[in-house]
Every structure is written in structure tokens, then in C-alpha cells.
Amino acid sequence: QVQLVESGGGLVQAGGSLRLSCAASPRIFSFNAMGWYRQAPGKARELVSTISHDGSTYYADSVKGRFTISRDNAKNTVDLQMNSLKLEDTAVYYCNAARPTYNWGQGTQVTVSS
């Protein structure tokens, strides 16, 4: 069963913007705060941002002021608006519960070039 599907990645120049989307199964979305994670080549997966049902958010220091997370409780989706992208933002981006106990999806590749 496909439970988490990420989309919206691509190739973008430094300083540009991308909007990532995550479609989650109702079972995951309804009972969990949601988060975006990323994994750069040769590095561990890291938490980028989370959002709870009441709208409370968290951002890693590296993305504060540049990324915005949002969720649509009716559509079971979580988006990540990424602005002012930097080379170091290059990674595969994944969504999951904020406490990631579910199987990971395939992620979506974000590549930032100069």
C-alpha cells in the first residue's frame, strides 16, 4: 500500500523556489503531526520542518525564514514552500509523520545549482 507520495522536486538555480507536495494516507495524516525530512548524498536523513493539526510549526535553523510548511486537513496533504534555495539544500526530500514510524516513500529530488 502506498501511504506517502512526494512530488514537486526538480532542478533549480540558487536563489530560486520550489514547492513540494506530500499526499498522505488518511490513517497517517489524521492521527499524526506531519513533517518534511531530507537526505543529502552521504549524509543521514534530517528533519526539516513539522506541522501539527493545530498549526504549530517547527523549522530547522538552516531553513528558517526561507521555507514554509503547510497542511490541508481536508485533502490530507502537506506542502513545503522553499524559497531562496541554496546549494546545501540539495537532497532527496521525504514526508512522514513527525514521529516517523511509517515506511518511507520514494521522496522527491531537489537539486540546487549555481
Side-chain angles (χ1 to χ4, degrees), residues 36-38 46-49 58-68 80 82-91 93:
W36 279 96
Y37 305 77
R38 67 186 181 187
E46 65 175 343
L47 179 64
V48 176
S49 181
Y58 160 85
Y59 296 95
D61 288 342
S62 59
V63 307
K64 284 181 179 177
R66 301 188 298 119
F67 291 10
T68 302
L80 186 69
M82 307 186 296
N83 299 324
S84 302
L85 283 162
K86 303 176 179 180
L87 294 178
E88 50 263 46
D89 294 320
T90 295
Y93 284 71

Side-chain angles (χ1 to χ4, degrees), residues 60-113:
D61 288 342
S62 59
V63 307
K64 284 181 179 177
R66 301 188 298 119
F67 291 10
T68 302
I69 191 170
S70 60
R71 66 188 291 161
D72 187 326
N73 292 335
K75 298 180 179 179
N76 300 321
T77 57
V78 186
D79 287 3
L80 186 69
Q81 178 67 45
M82 307 186 296
N83 299 324
S84 302
L85 283 162
K86 303 176 179 180
L87 294 178
E88 50 263 46
D89 294 320
T90 295
V92 178
Y93 284 71
Y94 302 87
C95 66
N96 211 317
R99 294 173 59 250
T101 57
Y102 300 93
N103 291 337
W104 297 94
Q106 293 183 330
T108 185
Q109 176 72 51
V110 172
T111 302
V112 184
S113 67

Side-chain angles (χ1 to χ4, degrees), residues 37-53:
Y37 305 77
R38 67 186 181 187
Q39 186 168 29
K43 296 186 178 296
R45 200 188 329 259
E46 65 175 343
L47 179 64
V48 176
S49 181
T50 65
I51 184 167
S52 64
H53 281 288

